[in-house]
Amino acid sequence: MRLSDTVRLIVLSAIWGASFLFMRIIAPVLGTLPTAFFRVVFGAIGLLLILALMRTKWDFKGKIGAAMALGVINSGIPFAMYSFAAKILPAGYSAIFNATTPLMGVIVGTLFFSEKLSLAKFVGVLLGLIGVVVLTKAGPVELTTEVMMGAGACLIATACYGVASFMTRRWISEKGGLDSKLLAFASQLGAAVFIMPLFIASTSSAIGQPLTNWGGTGLWLAMAGLGLVCTAFAYILYFRLIADIGPMKSLTVTFLIPPFGVLWGAIFLGEQITWGHIAGGTLIGLAVWAVLKPAVQTKKSVVA
């Protein structure tokens, strides 16, 4: 890769790693659904501004309904799950669990989309599951029912990401495709519409009160970072990387997010880094490598 591509990949990893820091700051104060709702709203607003500045042609090719439905799977449910987990787990934990996304893609693809399960992918899934167990049991947080629920919420989120990758291919790519920026905007809009009634129901008594009652300036700066930077700007950066270096190399961001998530948690929240982080994270990293590495191509001889 060019140096500029490598720099953008590292910047994207740092940004997405920071999303777990921001959620850890926001969710214990605002709660699960408000955190998820404001994230997608800020994300949609940020993407709308980017689309306007880039003068993007508004042509959804009849796919806006599919794109919004995809947003429920790819943003609405996962963001709510991670917001729930952020009330319980350190930011570094959630960042490491996020790395299981490719593993969940393998499981979902094998079970529901007739994808072939190679030996490397099977080994990768097993390593990943062992890594999850090691992180949960050997990490600095005492293993409780709440911690297991937080870990489960993270795995539900990554499972949704796995489903979304296949549904994107079925609903969008195989039907002529769609401008990635429009897809990102519509997905955030769909997620906001999905979460809105749940958000209103859960916060009906607080709606109408001053925003100062919802947290201080620091919290809303974190929310702006989560929605505008970690969601809107990160989507644009990611899609640009896919266009420049391809989807496979872009997926290496999966390896880089956990170290940044753990690092930001340690620096800004004083979270402890232990051998549980290192052992569990390493196993999950090896698992992701086994799943993402290109298959070995064997040359077939041709007899004339």
Side-chain angles (χ1 to χ4, degrees), residues 36 40 70-81 187-188 190-192 194-195:
V40 295
L70 190 63
V72 175
I73 304 171
N74 197 53
S75 295
I77 298 174
F79 289 175
M81 290 297 102
S187 68
Q188 295 308 295
F194 168 72
I195 298 175

Side-chain angles (χ1 to χ4, degrees), residues 94-289:
S94 295
I96 294 173
F97 281 130
N98 182 71
T100 63
T101 296
L103 311 183
M104 287 299 184
V106 170
I107 294 172
V108 168
T110 302
L111 293 177
F112 303 108
F113 293 93
S114 302
E115 293 285 314
K116 292 183 179 179
L117 181 63
S118 66
L119 178 61
K121 290 182 178 179
F122 177 73
V123 171
V125 170
L126 287 181
L127 277 176
L129 293 175
I130 294 171
V132 168
V133 172
V134 169
L135 176 64
T136 307
K137 296 189 70 174
V141 177
E142 182 182 354
L143 183 61
T144 63
T145 302
E146 273 197 333
V147 168
M148 292 177 65
M149 289 173 64
C154 291
L155 296 179
I156 290 172
T158 57
C160 286
Y161 290 147
V163 172
S165 65
F166 289 98
M167 300 315 295
T168 300
R169 184 173 66 186
R170 177 173 295 182
W171 291 347
I172 306 295
S173 302
E174 291 179 354
K175 295 184 178 180
L178 182 64
D179 186 314
S180 58
K181 298 184 292 298
L182 292 175
L183 177 58
F185 170 72
S187 68
Q188 295 308 295
L189 186 62
V193 171
F194 168 72
I195 298 175
M196 182 182 292
L198 302 174
F199 162 72
I200 292 173
S202 67
T203 58
S204 57
S205 61
I207 292 177
Q209 294 183 10
L211 284 180
T212 52
N213 293 355
W214 292 58
T217 303
L219 183 143
W220 287 100
L221 287 174
M223 181 64 77
L226 180 62
L228 299 177
V229 180
C230 299
T231 307
F233 176 71
Y235 266 120
I236 300 299
L237 191 60
Y238 181 60
F239 288 132
R240 176 65 186 274
L241 270 175
I242 290 176
D244 289 348
I245 66 177
M248 186 56 67
K249 288 182 179 178
S250 297
L251 279 174
T252 55
V253 71
T254 308
F255 294 98
L256 300 173
I257 292 173
F260 279 109
V262 173
L263 178 64
W264 300 147
I267 292 175
F268 295 104
L269 299 177
E271 294 180 356
Q272 185 181 3
I273 301 177
T274 68
W275 285 106
H277 281 100
I278 298 171
T282 299
L283 286 170
I284 291 173
L286 288 172
V288 173
W289 173 80

